[in-house]
């Protein structure tokens, strides 16, 4: 039986005639060194029962040296480099055509944004001038009301909350209407929050403090002043961080979905008038808001009472400079190199044009993706992937009734959810590209360009507020078509597979085992996200709703604990074990991914026995697990692995090569792995969820 309950996006894209992306892109052919699947990437002298990662990818590890400029090297880096090469081949023409292109056209926006960033001579000559107006605004703050007004301005020009953040968002419990989120602050470090909870003399904390001081020195502050500011900034961020949900707490939507009357939220911070802040933002609060950070506002209120206003001005100054330092003078590269060396073990930044492309993707993801997708995406790929997605979802649907630990009531809800899955491959339909034609981008001021993009996006959110919910397609840093990713979205109960990831080495369609157990497992991974510890709390319509019986929920969490224990007991690098609770959704998705990929492969081979052939003496079933492990083969610095072990939201690839396989019974049968072998995981410790 084939599963057909998926809403697919299949219409072709008709792009504007002035796009330069129609040129041919000629890149070197990929080979085994690029992690294209190959028997020669294996180490046939290794025992799969002892070290399966070595057995599956030891040949590649021995033969290919990690380039010194990369902290981590694996398929994601290899494919990212190829994507960049494709993009640069297009950008040269786009930049050349931009001066004559119509204002607001994709070519003009992309070309001028890129040109402004790349003109480092002009950026160096400007120094801090592009930020002077905002630095003056901060210096002029003389009251908490002034601080609230500037916090609102910062949110609109930097696209991040400073001290507090309010804004429209689809209601998690009713995705047909908008709600307003009341959030806490962002921080200088987005992911490395261990820095804020560590001792003052901890190496990573020392490195971050040194970074702050060096950044401020580059900005023009005297060394002793910068040193004092750095102390204040780190103290404040430590206090603010302690008031935010932990990484683990933020995985559970019940912790951040707190419908609260605005007056109750305001009562938590009486010394900062929300109306002053909201006036500057340009909208009013509804009867209830979603309080995202239940502990935050009382702490901020105490800080406002206890700390001098000057401390908040110092912090606002730092966050402003840090937010735009990447488009100011190249002197700011120095602090970034130092911090990269401390956190990842590599003291080199990406080449300038690579950073330009990354910022372009982050800021103008749809315009650059329109150019990219037309040039590189083949409709045949979409057709083939939709077939494989159908196979994976069919497999998942057929497994749900076999889950003996689930009641019939919960099974019915799970089936309804998978029946409602929406899937899109490649890029948005023509009518779903975001229209940026009213955005002003100039060729000589990258700071102004970043601010213009942030203000444009903020105004879009205000214009949509109060009307029907707009779900932008392929819109986000992880799902722009040029981004190498596939991502599940709880709110739409579905996932998007981007143009960029749907190519080699991630997608290799020729060998069934590789097709289903590498890219097919990625599809299975995203499918399982709809039913992981977070996804299971959303229903078939994408609404936050508990559709589980208490007994079923308890059984599910019991299975999930096995993954937590596995990570917590695995040494990622000397002295550091995994973050089991925080990595749990990704680990569960990995187990689901390879489980579904393997099962779909076996169904496919049953229907196509002529393709069930050995390669290099290995069966297709054996090659399934080898393909998975080769996909996640990685070489990395110790510093990088420490960073992942302490701050990463995904397990490192070195963990992913084998840990998920140990939960698949067929893996043991395929290689004769028995009790007592190092790769053996006792059956009672294997996850039996999806």
């Amino acid at each position: 039986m084939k599963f057909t309950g998926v809403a697919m996006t299949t219409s072709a894209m008709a792009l504007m005639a002035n796009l330069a992306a129609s040129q041919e892109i000629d890149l070197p052919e990929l080979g085994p060194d690029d992690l294209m699947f190959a028997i020669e990437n294996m180490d046939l002298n290794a025992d799969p029962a002892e070290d399966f990662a070595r057995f599956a990818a030891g040949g590649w590890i021995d033969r290919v040296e990690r380039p010194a400029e990369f902290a981590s090297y694996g398929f994601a880096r290899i494919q990212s480099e190829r994507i960049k090469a494709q993009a640069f081949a297009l950008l040269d023409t786009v930049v050349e055509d931009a001066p004559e292109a119509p204002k607001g056209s994709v070519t003009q926006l992309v070309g001028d944004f890129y040109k402004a960033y790349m003109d480092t001579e002009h950026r160096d000559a400007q120094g801090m001038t592009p930020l002077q107006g905002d630095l003056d605004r901060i210096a002029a703050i003389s009251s908490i009301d002034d601080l609230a007004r500037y916090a609102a301005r910062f949110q609109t020009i930097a696209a991040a909350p400073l001290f507090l953040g309010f804004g429209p968002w689809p209601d998690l419990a009713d995705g047909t209407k908008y709600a307003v989120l009341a959030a806490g602050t962002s921080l200088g470090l987005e992911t490395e929050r261990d820095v804020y909870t560590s001792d003052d003399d901890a190496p990573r904390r020392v490195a971050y403090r040194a970074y702050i001081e060096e950044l401020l020195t580059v900005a023009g502050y005297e060394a002793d002043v910068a040193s004092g500011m750095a102390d204040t900034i780190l103290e404040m961020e430590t206090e603010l961080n302690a008031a935010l949900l932990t990484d683990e707490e933020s995985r559970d939507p019940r912790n951040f979905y707190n419908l609260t009357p605005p007056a109750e939220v305001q009562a938590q911070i009486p010394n900062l008038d929300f109306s002053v802040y909201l006036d500057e933002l340009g909208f009013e609060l509804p009867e209830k808001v979603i309080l995202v950070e239940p502990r935050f506002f009382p702490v901020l209120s105490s800080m406002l009472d206890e700390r001098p206003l000057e401390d908040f001005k110092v912090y606002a100054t730092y966050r402003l400079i840090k937010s735009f330092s990447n488009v100011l003078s190249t002197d700011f590269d120095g602090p970034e190199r130092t911090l990269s060396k401390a956190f990842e073990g590599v003291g080199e930044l990406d080449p300038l044009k690579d950073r330009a492309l990354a910022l372009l993707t982050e800021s103008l993801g749809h315009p650059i993706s329109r150019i990219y997708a037309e040039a590189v995406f083949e409709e045949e790929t979409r057709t083939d992937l939709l077939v494989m997605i159908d196979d994976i979802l069919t497999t998942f649907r057929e497994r749900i009734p076999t889950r003996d630990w689930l009641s019939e009531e919960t099974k019915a809800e799970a089936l309804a959810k998978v029946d409602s899955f929406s899937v899109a491959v490649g890029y948005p339909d023509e009518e779903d590209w975001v229209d940026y034609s009213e955005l002003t981008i100039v060729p000589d001021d990258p700071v102004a360009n970043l601010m213009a993009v942030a203000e444009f996006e903020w105004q879009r959110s205000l214009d949509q507020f109060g009307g029907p919910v707009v779900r932008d397609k392929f819109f986000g840093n992880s799902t722009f078509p040029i981004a190498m990713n596939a991502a599940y979205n709880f709110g739409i109960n579905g996932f998007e597979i981007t143009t960029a990831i749907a190519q080699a080495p991630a997608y290799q369609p020729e060998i069934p085992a590789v097709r289903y157990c590498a890219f097919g497992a990625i599809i299975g991974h995203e499918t399982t996200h709809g039913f992981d510890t977070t996804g299971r709390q959303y229903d078939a319509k994408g609404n936050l709703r508990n559709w589980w019986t208490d007994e079923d929920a308890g059984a599910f969490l019991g299975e999930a604990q096995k993954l937590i224990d596995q990570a917590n007991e695995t040494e990622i690098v000397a002295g550091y074990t995994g973050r089991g609770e925080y990595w749990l959704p990704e680990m569960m998705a990995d187990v689901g991914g390879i489980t579904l990929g393997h099962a779909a492969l076996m169904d496919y081979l049953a229907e196509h026995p002529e393709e069930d052939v050995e390669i290099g003496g290995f069966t297709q079933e054996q090659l399934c697990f080898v393909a998975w492990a080769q996909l996640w083969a990685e070489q990395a610095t110790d510093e990088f692995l420490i960073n992942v072990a302490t701050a990463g939201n995904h397990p490192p690839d070195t963990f992913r090569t084998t840990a998920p396989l140990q939960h698949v019974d067929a893996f043991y049968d395929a290689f004769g792995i028995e009790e007592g072998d190092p790769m053996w995981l006792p059956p009672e410790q294997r996850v039996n969820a999806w």
Side-chain angles (χ1 to χ4, degrees):
M1 181 187 80
K2 287 296 180 184
F3 176 63
T4 57
V6 185
M8 303 289 188
T9 299
T10 59
S11 67
M13 179 172 58
L15 297 184
M16 299 188 308
N18 70 329
L19 291 185
S22 58
Q23 67 189 73
E24 201 70 26
I25 301 174
D26 186 23
L27 295 177
E29 187 174 344
L30 293 168
D33 285 4
D34 305 302
L35 275 178
M36 294 295 285
F37 177 82
I39 298 298
E40 69 184 87
N41 282 341
M42 301 172 66
D43 179 358
L44 300 181
N45 293 318
D47 183 349
E50 182 173 338
D51 186 347
F52 190 78
R54 178 77 205 170
F55 170 76
W60 179 82
I61 291 171
D62 289 345
R63 190 179 66 251
V64 177
E65 185 176 352
R66 174 182 59 83
E69 66 270 26
F70 300 137
S72 169
Y73 195 66
F75 95 91
R77 172 59 71 176
I78 291 167
Q79 191 155 328
S80 294
E81 292 301 302
R82 194 167 181 84
I83 292 163
K84 287 188 287 189
Q86 292 168 331
F88 294 141
L90 303 169
L91 278 170
D92 288 343
T93 303
V94 172
V95 171
E96 183 179 333
D97 291 348
E100 304 302 321
K103 183 180 182 300
S105 67
V106 170
T107 299
Q108 183 269 315
L109 295 171
V110 170
D112 283 347
F113 188 99
Y114 185 78
K115 180 180 179 181
Y117 182 91
M118 292 296 291
D119 190 354
T120 56
E121 184 176 341
H122 180 68
R123 286 165 50 189
D124 290 345
Q126 289 287 96
M128 295 296 293
T129 301
L131 289 186
Q132 196 56 55
D134 272 83
L135 291 170
D136 291 343
R137 285 186 177 93
I138 294 171
I141 291 173
S142 60
S143 66
I144 292 179
D145 280 356
D146 288 346
L147 185 68
R149 292 187 188 94
Y150 188 75
R153 172 173 169 77
F154 185 90
Q155 182 174 322
T156 60
I157 65 169
L162 177 68
F163 302 122
L164 72 165
F166 282 73
W169 195 258
D171 191 324
L172 299 184
D174 182 359
T176 65
K177 64 183 182 181
Y178 284 104
V180 171
L181 303 183
T185 190
S186 57
L187 299 168
L189 293 175
E190 295 181 9
T191 56
E192 297 86 354
R193 293 178 63 186
D194 61 291
V195 167
Y196 301 126
T197 58
S198 57
D199 295 336
D200 286 341
D201 60 353
R204 287 161 63 85
R205 186 177 176 96
V206 170
Y208 179 55
R209 189 206 167 281
Y211 163 82
I212 298 172
E213 184 174 342
E214 187 178 357
L215 187 86
L216 294 171
T217 303
V218 172
Y221 293 91
E222 295 294 333
D224 58 336
V225 175
S227 178
M229 292 173 72
D231 288 337
T232 298
I233 290 160
L234 189 50
E235 287 173 6
M236 291 187 69
E237 288 199 325
T238 298
E239 290 182 64
L240 293 167
N241 174 73
L244 300 172
L245 293 174
T246 66
D247 288 339
E248 289 75 15
E249 288 172 332
S250 66
R251 289 292 201 191
D252 188 341
R254 293 170 300 179
N255 290 327
F256 57 75
Y257 187 79
N258 304 285
L259 276 178
T260 312
E264 289 187 17
V265 183
Q266 178 66 85
Q268 295 181 10
I269 182 169
N271 44 359
L272 189 151
D273 187 346
F274 286 160
S275 66
V276 173
Y277 167 82
L278 293 167
D279 229 28
E280 192 78 15
L281 284 179
F283 75 100
E284 297 180 358
L285 295 179
E287 291 183 3
K288 290 188 177 181
V289 300
I290 299 173
L291 182 59
V292 176
E293 295 289 350
R295 299 189 294 264
F296 181 75
F297 286 115
V299 173
L300 178 60
S301 182
S302 295
M303 290 175 67
L304 287 167
D305 280 341
E306 296 166 5
R307 283 186 170 272
L309 186 61
E310 189 61 32
D311 285 358
F312 292 87
K313 295 167 65 173
V314 164
Y315 187 66
T317 299
Y318 165 65
R319 289 298 309 282
L320 174 71
I321 295 169
K322 187 179 189 308
S323 295
F324 294 96
S325 61
N326 58 336
V327 292
L328 292 168
S329 162
T330 54
D331 289 341
F332 284 101
D333 290 353
E336 298 297 335
R337 289 191 188 96
T338 304
L339 193 64
S340 176
K341 179 67 174 177
F343 280 12
E344 298 198 337
V346 174
E348 292 299 320
L349 301 182
D350 288 339
L352 184 69
K353 65 178 184 177
D354 290 23
R355 286 177 273 156
L357 177 60
L359 188 62
L360 180 57
T361 299
E362 179 183 334
S363 304
L364 293 175
H366 264 208
I368 182 61
S369 289
R370 292 192 68 157
I371 296 171
Y372 179 79
E374 185 199 45
V376 306
F377 195 72
E378 299 177 2
E379 286 302 317
E380 181 183 357
T381 299
R382 172 185 275 120
T383 301
D384 292 345
L385 283 177
L386 291 179
V387 170
M388 187 159 59
I389 290 168
D390 192 64
D391 290 347
I392 296 292
L393 291 177
T394 296
T395 299
F396 189 79
R397 193 187 196 286
E398 291 174 347
R399 286 178 63 84
I400 290 174
T402 70
R403 303 298 90 191
D404 293 339
W405 56 275
L406 280 178
S407 67
E408 293 304 313
E409 178 186 349
T410 306
K411 286 179 184 177
E413 289 275 10
L415 287 169
K417 183 166 185 178
V418 74
D419 283 349
S420 301
F421 253 53
S422 65
V423 178
V425 177
Y427 48 75
D429 292 344
E430 172 64 22
E431 65 273 13
D432 291 325
W433 290 102
V434 173
D435 180 8
Y436 283 88
S437 59
E438 297 301 314
L439 174 64
T440 297
I441 294 294
V442 296
D444 58 357
D445 192 341
V447 172
N449 288 342
L450 284 187
M451 290 183 177
V453 170
E455 290 175 308
F456 177 87
E457 296 294 357
W458 174 250
Q459 190 58 50
R460 277 188 73 230
S461 69
L462 290 186
D463 292 343
Q464 293 166 357
F465 185 47
V469 169
V470 176
R471 300 276 188 179
D472 292 321
K473 310 292 176 35
F474 288 92
F475 193 81
N477 288 339
S478 63
T479 55
F480 290 132
I482 198 172
M484 197 198 76
N485 200 31
Y488 177 83
N489 185 321
F490 308 118
I492 65 171
N493 185 33
F495 57 81
E496 294 170 330
I497 297 173
T498 69
T499 292
I501 198 173
Q503 56 185 316
Y507 179 53
Q508 302 179 48
E510 294 80 10
I511 302 171
V514 180
R515 182 167 72 248
Y516 279 91
C517 297
F519 205 87
I522 291 174
I523 295 169
H525 175 106
E526 299 307 330
T527 300
T528 307
H529 268 316
F531 299 86
D532 67 20
T533 46
T534 303
R536 75 176 186 86
Q537 300 188 57
Y538 295 82
D539 64 17
K541 294 182 179 180
N543 293 327
L544 186 61
R545 178 174 70 85
N546 182 15
W547 45 271
W548 293 68
T549 68
D550 291 343
E551 294 79 8
D552 291 344
F556 175 88
L557 294 175
E559 291 299 311
Q561 187 63 44
K562 298 175 183 178
L563 290 171
I564 296 174
D565 293 343
Q566 182 187 28
N568 289 347
E569 294 166 7
T570 299
E571 189 172 66
I572 303 302
V573 66
Y576 294 85
T577 56
R579 304 181 71 190
E581 188 176 354
Y582 189 43
W583 291 349
L584 179 57
E586 298 301 330
M587 293 187 296
M588 183 165 285
D590 275 350
V591 173
I594 187 57
T595 298
L596 294 173
H598 169 264
L601 169 68
M602 301 312 290
D603 289 343
Y604 177 85
L605 293 175
E607 294 179 11
H608 302 84
E610 73 282 0
E611 295 187 54
D612 193 2
V613 296
E614 290 189 0
I615 298 176
F618 297 98
T619 66
Q620 288 289 314
E621 184 172 27
Q622 288 174 319
L623 293 175
C624 165
F625 301 113
V626 173
W628 168 273
Q630 284 194 11
L631 177 71
W632 297 108
E634 177 186 43
Q635 301 185 58
T637 65
D638 285 351
E639 291 87 350
F640 175 85
L641 293 174
I642 290 170
N643 198 46
V644 175
T646 54
N649 58 8
H650 287 65
D653 292 356
T654 51
F655 179 86
R656 301 174 81 172
T657 51
T658 57
L661 302 182
Q662 293 178 291
H663 298 276
V664 183
D665 292 342
F667 168 65
Y668 298 90
D669 296 335
F671 294 97
I673 300 170
E674 300 176 342
E675 185 173 0
D677 291 331
M679 291 306 306
W680 177 264
L681 190 67
E684 66 272 14
Q685 295 178 24
R686 300 175 198 169
V687 172
N688 181 31
W690 302 113

